[in-house]
Amino acid sequence: MAILHNLGFPRIGRKRELKKALEAYWQGQSSESELEQTAAQLRAQNWQLQQGLDWLPVGDFSLYDQVLDLSFTLGNIPARLQHLAGSELDNYFRLARGRSAQDSACSCIHAGEMTKWFDTNYHYIVPEVTAQTEFSLQSSRLLQQFREAKAQGVQAKPVLIGPLTYLWLCKAKDQSEPLALLPRLLPVYQQLLQTLQQAGAEWIQLDEPILATELSEPWQLAFVSAYSLLAEVPVKLLLASYFGQLGANLPLLQALPVAGIHLDAVRGRAEVQQVLQGLAPQQVLSLGVIDGRNIWKTDLTAVLDWLEPIAALLGDRLWLAPSCSLLHVPVDLDSEQKLLPELKNWLAFAKQKLQELQILGLALNQGRLLVAEALIDNAAAIASRRQSALVHNPAVQQALQQIRPEQAQRQSPYPVRAQQQAARFALPLYPTTTIGSFPQTTAIRQARLALKKGTISAAQYRDQMQTEIAHAVAQQEQLGLDVLVHGEAERNDMVEYFGEQLSGFAFSQHGWVQSYGSRCVKPPIIYGDISRPQPMTVAWTQYAQSLTTKPMKGMLTGPVTMLNWSFVRDDQPRQQTCLQLALAIRQEVQDLEAAGVGIIQIDEAALREGLPLRQSEWQQYLDWAVFAFKLCANGVADSTQIHTHMCYSEFNDIIAEIAALDADVITIETSRSDMELLRAFEHFDYPNQIGPGVYDIHSPNTPTTAQMVKLMQKAAQQIPAQRLWVNPDCGLKTRQWSEVLPALKNMVAAAQQLRQN
Ligand SMILES: Nc1nc2c(c(=O)[nH]1)N[C@@H](CNc1ccc(C(=O)N[C@@H](CCC(=O)N[C@@H](CCC(=O)N[C@@H](CCC(=O)O)C(=O)O)C(=O)O)C(=O)O)cc1)CN2
Ligand SMILES: [Zn+2]
């Protein structure tokens, strides 16, 4: 009997109920108990949606982030938050976003740093530690949720991030090594496991996704000592690895004294046989056979062909699950009314993935005949996708064949271009700019909703967006910024907006995936060869330029980011899809240039996070990713200034490749990490211009002029002032005008002060 379980479920809700509840609470429109009530309802709904499995996850729900939750569970709260007024929830949101619902704008708390969860588009709050950090158990949240699940008749399996992955995610605020805290951390984990076991937990899932990365020897050894200690608690541990192959960690995992092992059998299929052979006699093997990172239907017959011999061997020691938590896929395909039926039939969201799991379970446990109809339908869908004319476009394939390497090179080297551009734009020292978006107000979003519903016409919508653009331009002129942007009012999202205009892309109506906190994205679905039927941004940019004599930056999303933030086809290499995107965006770059736009920013916010988890695979990825960017960006005249922007850029390791992009200017996020990025420059002289972000846009707090001057002075120690720009960390779309204006005013003042020094 194969046992069915799930590693985690999306918590945002089918209609983003959690988002709405959080934002209402933060704005003081609802109480803490109303928020908790919505949260409890969502948990109940989610368990309901997962009925039919043998074990359901508990502890996967979070009001903001599961890593932040764990920091609170372990009592690891930075000193700056201790002794502040308010409840634990207030402190929770202070660490998440710099402010609780009770705080006023002036009581500023430095929010925790936010960064990407492995190679996903999900962001977690980085736990902070020092050599002095002590842990203490605060188990009430988990216990309460465990009891809540049991009260609802749920067969509950608590899920937790494992101690090694937790420490690996930690950042030391001194020079200490987080791994050194393991001896202090383990007793608290032991206590936690014990507490859950006493509350009735039979199995506990510990997630250790770092097993899919290359671990140095100290980390490997730490696994052995940590799990030997945890094994002392009389509860069954399911150790979950996901997001890739185990590689050299495979023997390590096999040696650990745990009751069960979960493997990512999508990305790590090739290793399953080897793990199987080394399995201990009582050990459970959980195979993640359904892709938790993509939205395509599983080829159930192929999986069954592969699984049946394993099931025969393992009996009820075989567990089946999605490859990882379903946090990274939308909730329910049934909500979609507008997808082409042919395409919709190829897809599975979280709910459908669990249905696939149940079909597999029935087929294995009671024979394929019982689910014959479902298997036939599934096989038909798989075959239809393989053959569909929607997918293949010979003209695109041909264009790909004709790419020449010299298309990716600028005409002259940077110093020559820089001179021409300096003459053309005549910018001051420390030029100021923003990253592109201005606040996406309720009015803007409602106009888009009205357009969708047909209650306003396309012309009315265009007029309203032009009014918004004019407003953004006027505000920037008044602030005295040097290089302006149109503000991206017309864009729902920097990826979805372009996806909607490109062939080969589909987009959902409700396919929301949590990005961070209450913020969600609706990743477009790349199902076929990509082309650009017509210009996408030229008219908006021209309109904006017509309103000002200052340079107006054109604003595009780059090919690598389009790829990494979409659900991509799995029937051709990612690299090939990326080149198709590069060609389409290249056309847009050239149309902008032809329309007289002299500065063009091509965002590659996701270039860094697209790095494979194993360093040995980095170079191959970087080679094609860098080429794709250059292909899209570099077909312009020397006097055209290319900017790029990257978020959460811990790119110490890839600074040479960042330089190889040869963008004239790069703007990056650095403010929360206190210009830590600049470490990269200690060993490498970045040759072109750079704008290290000085304004943390993820927090509602206003940065002061003095703070920003200080950050820039720090930057100027590493990079000549002639090559520095002054700008926020990232786009301003999540902020309100009342937050943005004072912050930018201070920023412009900072630049003026710097120029006088
Ligand atoms: N794809 C992507 N990934 C990314 C980023 C990014 O910008 N895009 N940035 C980083 C993460 N940062 C992010 C920053 C902001 C948002 C964000 O603001 N998301 C919005 C949704 C954006 C969107 O698509 N909006 C649509 C639909 C908005 C909507 O909810 N409409 C309402 C109605 C309008 C209303 O009454 O407000 C509805 O349909 O019910 C639009 O503008 O048209 C949100 O969660 O609120 C997401 C991620 C990294 N990853
Ligand atoms: Zn950004």
Side-chain angles (χ1 to χ4, degrees), residues 559-560 575 578-579 582 604 623-633:
V560 185
Q575 156 180 15
C578 195
L579 284 177
E604 281 295 18
D623 286 348
W624 62 254
V626 168
F627 181 78
F629 177 86
K630 292 172 66 178
L631 179 65
C632 107

Side-chain angles (χ1 to χ4, degrees), residues 121 491-507 522-526 530-531 536 555-569 574 577-586 602-607 609 621 624 628-629 632:
N121 194 5
R491 302 185 187 177
N492 46 8
D493 172 74
M494 60 185 283
V495 169
E496 197 183 0
Y497 176 76
F498 290 98
E500 284 174 354
Q501 299 186 73
L502 292 166
S503 308
F505 272 88
F507 42 94
K522 199 140 53 65
I525 299 166
I526 304 179
I530 295 155
S531 58
M536 303 182 282
M555 194 61 57
L556 301 173
T557 303
V560 185
T561 300
M562 290 290 299
L563 183 84
N564 282 335
W565 289 351
S566 298
F567 289 119
V568 293
R569 45 196 293 199
R574 292 171 75 83
T577 306
C578 195
L579 284 177
Q580 294 183 356
L581 282 161
L583 284 180
I585 301 162
R586 180 181 170 94
I602 305 166
D603 293 323
E604 281 295 18
L607 191 129
E609 83 194 32
Y621 162 80
W624 62 254
F629 177 86
C632 107

